[in-house]
Amino acid sequence: MASDTGTPRRCDSAAASGCVQDCPACLRLRAALRATLVNRSWHDLTPTAVADTAGMAVSAFFAHYPSVAACGAAALDEAADECRAACELAYPAWRDCHERFLRMADAAVSWMAARPEMARLLFVIPRQAYDPVLLAKVSAFKRALVSLFEQPGRCSPAGRTHVEFVIGLFFQVVVREFARGAEIDTLRLRVLTLAPFVETPTSDS
């Protein structure tokens, strides 16, 4: 990632990864980073580019984040938290696994439609950049979805391994369709075709 000059000073509430989550300036910088990634690769991002997109001075960037990597990691965490919350709200009372997957997938795709830049950062950029920090965060997000899908009861005859397989397929389809520039309705259709891989365990399984 290209370097930028500037005095690395942060606001009083800043930690290694930036300010508190609801800091307005941090929210603005994370949104600017996602917008900048539309026309730049991850490795070409600079504090100046992100600050310019945010309409802020580069010194203001360093007042809130020590680096583009830290800002990007925080932006990915923000996206993962939002997507997981959307999925969690989709099926709080549904125990049938097939229905759970349909609701989770539909909620995730609806979130992607409403938050395309966040979705691209969460599903596409880590693979393109092959950045170990971003990839580790995506892996943690996958594990969170697996754990969410398994609650309140086991949702696969093969247990967690099967759920991990289905969530892995979900990610592969999303990444592939994003790379193709698919319309959101096409993405939704492709994702929902994975539903037959999900079964509700029988009482003797």
Side-chain angles (χ1 to χ4, degrees):
M1 185 175 296
S3 61
D4 244 276
T5 59
T7 303
R9 57 183 180 80
R10 289 168 282 158
C11 57
D12 293 338
S13 61
S17 60
C19 297
V20 292
Q21 188 172 14
D22 58 352
C23 169
C26 285
L27 289 169
R28 186 173 169 184
L29 287 167
R30 292 196 298 269
L33 180 140
R34 292 188 295 266
T36 306
L37 280 169
V38 172
N39 298 311
R40 284 183 182 235
S41 73
W42 171 256
H43 296 290
D44 288 335
L45 281 183
T46 65
T48 297
V50 175
D52 285 348
T53 302
M56 300 166 67
V58 70
S59 60
F61 176 95
F62 283 114
H64 296 273
Y65 287 105
S67 65
V68 169
C71 183
L76 193 147
D77 285 340
E78 182 183 15
D81 288 346
E82 277 203 16
C83 187
R84 186 190 186 282
C87 292
E88 189 171 13
L89 287 172
Y91 55 76
W94 289 87
R95 301 183 72 91
D96 178 83
C97 298
H98 186 270
E99 184 67 23
R100 277 194 131 192
F101 177 79
L102 290 177
R103 286 175 173 266
M104 185 206 76
D106 188 66
V109 174
S110 294
W111 175 84
M112 293 175 210
R115 297 288 215 174
E117 291 177 355
M118 276 193 174
R120 187 168 179 271
L121 176 59
L122 182 58
F123 290 97
V124 178
I125 297 300
R127 286 198 177 195
Q128 287 183 345
Y130 207 71
D131 181 271
V133 173
L134 298 186
L135 290 172
K137 287 182 176 294
V138 170
S139 294
F141 174 57
K142 287 182 181 180
R143 291 193 298 271
L145 289 187
V146 169
S147 296
L148 177 64
F149 191 79
E150 285 194 310
Q151 300 302 320
R154 186 167 61 89
C155 271
S156 167
R160 188 178 181 90
T161 299
H162 185 203
V163 175
E164 290 174 346
F165 169 73
V166 172
I167 296 299
L169 284 179
F170 172 83
F171 269 75
Q172 289 181 28
V173 170
V174 171
V175 171
R176 183 189 68 207
E177 296 304 321
F178 260 110
R180 291 178 176 176
E183 297 291 333
I184 200 68
D185 288 341
T186 300
L187 173 59
R188 191 187 307 274
L189 179 63
R190 297 286 188 269
V191 165
L192 294 182
T193 59
L194 299 174
F197 287 99
V198 185
E199 301 176 33
T200 299
T202 59
S203 59
D204 59 349
S205 62

